[in-house]
């Protein structure tokens, strides 16, 4: 097979690196210099450099060029990859629009059934407070946010053994705002960040918007995160920030063990890498104890822990927060240039609601209902799905993932079901590289009803038909 010119050049440069003629952190010739010395075109040189970068042999720095990466480590696990230029925003937009259709069975939604959220007591507090002009007072609720609410949130961290002051917390317009502000505060365009291979699409969108380079860390069948691959990739690339989920992962559902969390925290600490911890499902655990966040292991204020009330009280409230610590002021600067503050009336209402025992009582009952509903979905699907499909069941949260047979397309299944008024979330939303196993994510928070059962029947029939068709081809 003829070798591309870019492969030829990449091969020549690779041997200079492997023979240690070009030492670690040496600057490579600029693209123009390489064009002149090699006689290849600019496109060929660019392609060659990108190939070496994807193999972890070189890395780039914004406005400074390319440099030789450390070569003293084991070869980079092929499952850890530098993602191609990210262009996911328009497909996520199309997806989110498609599931807004009225009368759709919302198995694709990321929010729990609203019937389970919005406790009566909270609604009463909101309507009572809504009568008083004082409840809308902006000045006491602007960044960093309502002091009483920040004190309550800080207290909740302290209860988990994480020393926290109200000043460490910044209230935001939901969890996604907290995550986006944190990423913006910690990165410059062109920086390398780590995402999990399968991850909430909001992380991919943020990376696209901020012009960041993404390296993905693969999942591990038992541990959730492949720690060895993680260690290798942070040795190969000058990683600035990781954006990851450790508890009730969306979409896969896993919760990482304390042992693995500790190992990852140690690596972050050794390499001084920041972590943006997406923990919006932290309260929806299964069992007696709330899993610890990575913030618990953070000794150097490297972890920006982000969460919200969207999954427990209602996404419509748009109230979240970030444990910003020393970055509080930076986050507030960015907030005052963008989303400004979370809703004032809601912040006041949350103070009153959270000050009583109502929240804990609501959480206990919500966890039980979600567990019951997810089990019901699981057993029904298990009985009815074609054998080629596998259900991925994890404790906590309210998602199930149906792993599809080889060659099946999650997008095709999503489109077929949408035509029958059923929404599911296809894996292309979470896996930017489509080479991985395809799946669909199902929201199982809904109470069982004929309506839900019929939708699951359509889903299983569709999967059977598709699996049979694939077997025949
Ligand atoms: C993993 C994950 N992170 C963040 C968010 C955003 O949460 P919020 O509604 O609080 O902005 C979501 C919402 O679906 C999510 O699933």
């Amino acid at each position: 097979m003829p070798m591309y010119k870019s492969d030829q050049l990449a091969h020549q440069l690779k041997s200079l690196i492997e023979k240690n003629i070009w030492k670690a952190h040496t600057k490579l010739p600029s693209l123009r210099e390489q064009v002149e010395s090699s006689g290849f075109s600019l496109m060929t040189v660019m392609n060659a450099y990108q190939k070496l970068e994807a193999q972890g042999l070189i890395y780039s720095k914004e406005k400074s060029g390319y440099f030789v990466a450390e070569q003293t480590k084991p070869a980079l696990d092929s499952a850890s990859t530098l993602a191609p230029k990210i262009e996911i925003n328009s497909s996520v937009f199309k997806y989110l629009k498609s599931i807004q259709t009225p009368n759709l069975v919302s198995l694709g939604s990321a929010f729990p059934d609203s019937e389970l959220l919005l406790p009566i007591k909270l609604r009463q507090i909101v309507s009572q407070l809504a009568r008083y002009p004082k409840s809308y007072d902006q000045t006491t609720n602007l960044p960093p946010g309502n002091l009483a609410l920040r004190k309550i949130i800080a207290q909740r961290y302290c209860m988990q053994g994480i020393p926290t002051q109200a000043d460490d917390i910044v209230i935001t317009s939901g969890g996604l705002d907290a995550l986006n502000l944190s990423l913006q505060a910690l990165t410059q365009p062109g920086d390398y960040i780590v995402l999990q291979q399968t991850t909430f699409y909001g992380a991919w969108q943020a990376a696209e918007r901020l012009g960041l380079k993404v390296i993905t860390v693969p999942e591990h069948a038992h541990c959730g995160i492949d720690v060895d691959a993680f260690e290798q990739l942070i040795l190969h690339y000058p990683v600035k920030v990781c954006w990851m989920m450790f508890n009730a992962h969306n979409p896969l559902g896993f919760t990482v063990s304390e042992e693995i969390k500790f190992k990852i925290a140690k690596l972050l600490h050794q390499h001084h890498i920041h972590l943006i911890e997406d923990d919006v499902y932290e309260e929806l655990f299964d069992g007696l104890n709330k899993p610890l966040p990575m913030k618990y292991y953070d000794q150097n204020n490297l972890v920006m822990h982000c969460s919200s009330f969207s999954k427990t009280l209602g996404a419509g409230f748009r109230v979240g927060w970030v444990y910003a610590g020393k970055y509080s002021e930076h986050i507030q600067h960015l907030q005052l240039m963008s989303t400004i503050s979370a809703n004032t009336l809601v912040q006041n209402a949350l103070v009153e609601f959270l000050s009583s025992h109502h929240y804990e009582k609501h959480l206990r009952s919500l966890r039980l209902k979600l567990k019951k509903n997810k089990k019901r979905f699981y057993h029904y699907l298990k009985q009815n799905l074609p054998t080629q499909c596998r259900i991925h069941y994890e404790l906590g949260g309210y998602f199930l993932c149906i792993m599809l047979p080889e060659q099946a397309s999650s997008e095709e299944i999503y489109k077929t079901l949408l035509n029958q008024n059923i929404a599911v979330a296809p894996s292309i939303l979470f896996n930017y590289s489509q080479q991985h196993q395809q799946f669909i994510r199902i929201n199982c928070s809904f109470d069982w009803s004929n309506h839900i059962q019929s939708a699951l029947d359509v889903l299983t029939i569709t999967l059977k038909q598709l699996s049979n068709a694939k077997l025949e081809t």
Side-chain angles (χ1 to χ4, degrees):
M1 215 169 56
M3 208 178 191
Y4 287 113
K5 285 182 183 163
S6 56
D7 286 329
Q8 225 175 318
L9 178 60
H11 189 72
Q12 282 169 19
L13 302 179
K14 189 175 169 183
S15 77
L16 291 174
I17 295 169
E18 284 175 349
K19 288 179 188 150
N20 215 16
I21 297 171
W22 278 358
K23 305 223 174 327
H25 309 297
T26 307
K27 190 172 183 309
L28 265 71
S30 71
L31 295 175
R32 201 146 38 88
E33 286 165 351
Q34 190 65 256
V35 167
E36 275 169 23
S37 64
S38 66
F40 288 123
S41 71
L42 181 63
M43 190 55 86
T44 303
V45 173
M46 268 166 48
N47 284 342
Y49 278 25
Q50 278 163 7
K51 280 175 187 167
L52 294 174
E53 188 186 20
Q55 290 167 32
L57 289 166
I58 64 172
Y59 63 90
S60 66
K61 276 196 206 162
E62 188 77 356
K63 298 200 185 107
S64 310
Y66 285 90
F67 296 82
V68 178
E70 294 264 2
Q71 299 307 310
T72 47
K73 306 110 203 171
L76 193 59
D77 188 326
S78 60
S80 313
T81 45
L82 179 67
K85 190 169 181 298
I86 307 160
E87 283 165 351
I88 197 173
N89 266 329
S90 54
S91 45
V92 172
F93 179 80
K94 271 193 214 143
Y95 168 75
L96 293 176
K97 281 286 167 196
S98 77
I99 63 166
Q100 276 176 18
T101 321
N103 304 325
L104 210 62
V105 189
S106 320
L107 305 180
S109 159
F111 298 110
D113 183 3
S114 54
E115 298 286 323
L116 304 183
L117 308 182
L118 294 166
I120 293 173
K121 186 68 197 167
L122 179 57
R123 279 182 269 160
Q124 284 169 347
I125 295 173
V126 172
S127 61
Q128 238 165 25
L129 288 181
R131 294 191 213 130
Y132 301 104
K134 209 169 126 250
S135 313
Y136 302 91
D137 178 27
Q138 266 291 352
T139 46
T140 48
N141 291 277
L142 284 170
N146 186 300
L147 177 61
L149 183 56
R150 287 185 291 121
K151 279 187 180 161
I152 295 170
I153 293 171
Q155 182 64 35
R156 294 180 74 80
Y157 280 102
C158 291
M159 275 157 42
Q160 276 206 296
I162 305 166
T164 311
Q165 313 273 328
D167 283 350
D168 291 319
I169 308 297
V170 179
I171 307 291
T172 57
S173 301
L176 189 55
D177 191 32
L179 291 157
N180 277 322
L181 290 165
S182 304
L183 191 64
Q184 197 176 345
L186 295 174
T187 57
Q188 301 289 328
D191 280 347
Y192 290 93
I193 65 162
V194 172
L195 299 182
Q196 283 151 305
Q197 200 163 64
T198 307
T199 203
F200 168 54
Y201 48 78
W204 288 109
Q205 290 182 289
E208 177 178 346
R209 188 169 56 80
L210 295 173
L212 302 168
K213 295 190 173 184
V214 175
I215 311 147
T216 53
V217 59
E219 274 80 51
H220 185 282
H222 304 296
C223 307
I225 296 172
D226 186 333
V227 189
D228 294 337
F230 180 71
E231 182 168 13
Q232 281 182 36
L233 69 86
I234 60 176
L235 288 170
H236 276 84
Y237 292 96
V239 173
K240 199 72 170 291
V241 174
C242 303
W243 168 329
M244 290 173 145
M245 286 192 83
F246 293 82
N247 298 324
H249 179 271
N250 175 15
L252 295 175
F254 60 77
T255 292
V256 174
S257 71
E258 297 314 317
E259 188 195 339
I260 299 289
K261 284 178 188 166
F262 180 74
K263 280 189 185 166
I264 292 182
K266 207 166 143 197
L267 287 169
L268 293 172
H269 176 70
Q270 278 166 359
H271 296 268
H272 201 81
I273 296 173
H274 282 91
L275 170 70
I276 298 174
E277 184 176 12
D278 181 351
D279 208 7
V280 295
Y281 297 87
E282 60 178 332
E283 296 293 353
L284 305 182
F285 54 90
D286 185 344
L288 292 179
N289 298 317
K290 182 166 150 181
L292 287 169
M294 288 289 287
K295 186 73 211 165
Y296 179 83
Y297 299 102
D298 184 23
Q299 295 164 11
N300 272 6
N301 215 341
L302 289 171
V303 179
M304 309 271 273
H305 181 260
C306 301
S307 192
S308 76
F309 297 106
S310 298
K311 312 289 177 182
T312 55
L313 295 174
F317 285 131
R318 305 309 308 143
V319 179
W321 68 90
V322 48
Y323 186 130
K326 66 180 177 195
Y327 297 100
S328 165
E329 202 164 307
H330 194 155
I331 296 281
Q332 292 176 55
H333 269 263
L334 296 173
Q335 256 183 319
L336 287 170
M337 287 192 277
S338 55
T339 45
I340 309 208
S341 76
N343 183 298
T344 302
L345 173 66
V346 175
Q347 290 191 63
N348 282 318
L350 285 173
V351 171
E352 204 167 318
F353 182 72
L354 295 167
S355 307
S356 64
H357 61 280
H358 296 300
Y359 190 43
E360 284 312 320
K361 202 170 143 211
H362 165 72
L363 287 176
R364 277 197 296 275
S365 121
L366 178 63
R367 284 180 205 123
L368 284 178
K369 283 181 197 156
L370 290 175
K371 182 174 171 176
K372 181 175 135 234
N373 291 350
K374 192 163 91 169
K375 275 204 168 152
R376 184 87 203 249
F377 272 64
Y378 173 70
H379 289 300
Y380 195 78
L381 286 168
K382 200 161 174 248
Q383 270 171 15
N384 294 291
L385 278 176
T387 46
Q388 298 94 324
C389 296
R390 200 168 42 81
I391 313 179
H392 190 84
Y393 182 94
E394 298 272 359
L395 298 177
Y398 46 91
F399 295 132
L400 283 178
C401 286
I402 302 178
M403 301 295 164
L404 302 174
E406 226 178 297
Q407 287 158 358
S409 148
S410 65
E411 194 176 13
E412 191 184 333
I413 290 167
Y414 145 73
K415 285 183 181 159
T416 312
L417 289 168
L418 199 60
N419 283 335
Q420 302 175 77
N421 267 340
I422 299 164
V424 295
S427 52
I428 41 156
L429 291 173
F430 311 101
N431 246 328
Y432 190 62
S433 154
Q434 295 188 28
Q435 294 146 6
H436 309 293
Q437 188 183 6
Q438 303 261 313
F439 63 85
I440 50 173
R441 187 198 66 189
I442 309 288
N443 179 333
C444 307
S445 63
F446 303 92
D447 283 343
W448 196 258
S449 65
N450 288 342
H451 190 53
I452 289 290
Q453 186 166 335
S454 313
L456 293 186
D457 288 341
V458 174
L459 186 147
T460 49
I461 289 167
T462 306
L463 287 174
K464 271 180 197 150
Q465 283 167 349
L466 270 160
S467 303
N468 290 341
K470 294 282 171 214
L471 281 181
E472 279 162 22
T473 52

